[in-house]
Amino acid sequence: MREFWVASGHHLTRRGDHGGLLATPELIMAYLARPELMPPEDACEAERHLHASLLADPLRPVPKADIAAIVDADARENWTFMISFRDRLIAAPSLEAVYVSLARKGAGDLPPIFLSQLCHLILRNALEGCDDPYMLRAAELFYRSQSAAVHDGALLLADAEVVEAQQHAQHDVHLSPLTAMLQPQAFGEMDVMDDENAWTYWSRSDAHAMAMNIGGNAKARAGLCRVIERWIAHLLGITVTVETIASIEDRDWRWFIGLDSEATRIGNALWNDAALDGSEAERIVALMRLSIEDTRLVDERVGQRPVYLILAMGADKVVRLKPQNLVAGLPLAAAANVA
């Protein structure tokens, strides 16, 4: 079986009999190695002691007094978040259960990085055994922001962090970072996934170095649909079918899910019959139609009508997909017994 996304840390977890992931001391130790939690040279003795004691026993109880004794206010805040998050992971029946709870009830003050890393881990579990590189590349949208640009008439998405890093190396300030990277001489740095090079994804899945032709390659769009199906089935145990569409022609559409804040704003405008100007329409990255197989699970307000999914980019041409919206926004009947 091919390996991918080693950086997710999935090898530091354990899969339970229910198929979900369980937190382990090794996973907690990986969090302790993060720069935000590594005591700096001028750290107080209380912070150093707390970190060292957790490295020795990652699951040990941490009294509030241990954190309160830390002199630096930022460090106290970081440790408060970390211990609260750790305790939640340990107490839950699975990491998936933690994610669903956070998605439905809100993450509160939990730093977004924690939710993103949790998504990365869970998605790696959900995609275990996947042999389609188009699916895996599309799945990166769930936990990595993407820069968008039109190249040769097609909308491309590339990892925003990689693009930003490359931006500093660009000498031609008249080109956008992504467009510059996609010039012929730069294809060695940023390939656009196609049938000839898709096989190389396996050797560089953690590098996020392949662009996704979501506008011009049907396999890329289908990959995103399949990931959404797998994500919902894994977290909620619900079978859905997702397909891309060119536009919403349904005059009696009942429900939509914005997969990011910009898409939610656009969807609300369409819902209220507001006309989109050209710039707003151009921000739509993908439109999809979702159908829930077992209609008994669907809110009666929706019935057998499809759910429309909207993915968009912000004014900065960055796509920030929020996979938690697929959990919290699905129109399920109150009696539906899911996750």
Side-chain angles (χ1 to χ4, degrees):
M1 186 176 296
R2 292 174 173 176
E3 179 59 282
F4 63 96
W5 297 357
V6 175
S8 69
H10 72 96
H11 56 290
L12 301 176
T13 63
R14 183 168 59 86
R15 184 179 287 109
D17 295 337
H18 44 56
L21 296 180
L22 304 177
T24 64
E26 292 76 17
L27 178 65
I28 304 305
M29 288 184 71
Y31 279 106
L32 295 174
R34 288 193 58 81
E36 299 90 338
L37 295 175
M38 288 292 291
E41 291 184 4
D42 59 348
C44 67
E45 182 58 32
E47 184 178 357
R48 291 180 182 279
H49 174 74
L50 176 58
H51 189 265
S53 65
L54 284 169
L55 286 178
D57 181 6
L59 305 185
R60 84 165 181 86
V62 177
K64 291 183 179 180
D66 287 7
I67 299 176
I70 297 174
V71 174
D72 184 77
D74 290 338
R76 285 198 305 272
E77 183 178 51
N78 289 341
W79 280 105
T80 298
F81 284 134
M82 175 57 204
I83 297 305
S84 175
F85 185 63
R86 182 207 66 167
D87 291 347
R88 193 165 193 164
L89 295 183
I90 295 171
S94 68
L95 302 188
E96 284 83 350
V98 174
Y99 188 91
V100 170
S101 177
L102 290 172
R104 288 178 169 168
K105 299 177 182 178
D109 293 332
L110 186 71
I113 185 66
F114 284 101
L115 198 62
S116 177
Q117 289 177 338
L118 198 55
C119 171
H120 194 184
L121 266 172
I122 294 169
L123 197 54
R124 174 60 181 80
N125 187 31
L127 294 173
E128 175 71 18
C130 177
D131 60 0
D132 181 358
Y134 286 99
M135 269 185 70
L136 299 181
R137 176 58 185 88
E140 292 183 25
L141 274 68
F142 279 53
Y143 63 94
R144 303 277 299 189
S145 296
Q146 305 288 311
S147 289
V150 175
H151 183 69
D152 288 343
L155 179 63
L156 305 179
L157 300 181
D159 188 273
E161 187 175 317
V162 173
V163 171
E164 183 179 2
Q166 290 294 330
Q167 182 177 9
H168 300 297
Q170 299 303 323
H171 300 293
D172 190 346
V173 297
H174 301 294
L175 295 176
S176 73
L178 178 54
T179 301
M181 290 177 69
L182 292 169
Q183 294 303 310
Q185 67 269 21
F187 266 81
E189 295 179 81
M190 180 66 78
D191 292 336
V192 179
M193 183 178 283
D194 57 28
D195 289 347
E196 292 186 0
N197 63 25
W199 65 273
T200 66
Y201 181 84
W202 303 103
S203 64
R204 48 176 170 166
S205 68
D206 287 310
H208 309 295
M210 298 192 84
M212 174 183 177
N213 185 358
I214 194 170
N217 191 324
K219 290 184 178 180
R221 295 191 296 276
L224 180 58
C225 292
R226 302 293 83 76
V227 173
I228 292 172
E229 292 170 352
R230 188 81 69 94
W231 177 249
I232 292 173
H234 184 74
L235 285 175
L236 302 179
I238 296 176
T239 300
V240 301
T241 301
V242 181
E243 59 182 340
T244 55
I245 55 176
S247 61
I248 300 177
E249 303 292 347
D250 190 348
R251 294 186 177 181
D252 187 30
W253 61 311
R254 307 282 183 85
W255 202 275
F256 81 92
I257 299 175
L259 298 181
D260 57 90
S261 56
E262 181 65 15
T264 299
R265 187 188 67 78
I266 290 174
N268 285 333
L270 292 173
W271 185 269
N272 292 311
D273 295 321
L276 300 181
D277 62 35
S279 63
E280 289 179 314
E282 290 176 354
R283 289 184 187 178
I284 297 177
V285 173
L287 285 175
M288 291 163 280
R289 182 167 51 213
L290 178 152
S291 298
I292 298 175
E293 182 178 273
D294 188 346
T295 56
R296 296 173 300 176
L297 302 176
V298 183
D299 188 307
E300 61 181 9
R301 293 172 295 175
V302 178
Q304 298 186 29
R305 308 297 299 177
V307 175
Y308 292 95
L309 309 179
I310 305 173
L311 178 64
M313 69 179 86
D316 57 357
K317 299 187 183 302
V318 175
V319 178
R320 301 176 177 85
L321 192 152
K322 297 181 178 180
Q324 61 269 33
N325 290 7
L326 288 165
V327 176
L330 212 59
L332 300 177
N337 184 23
V338 296

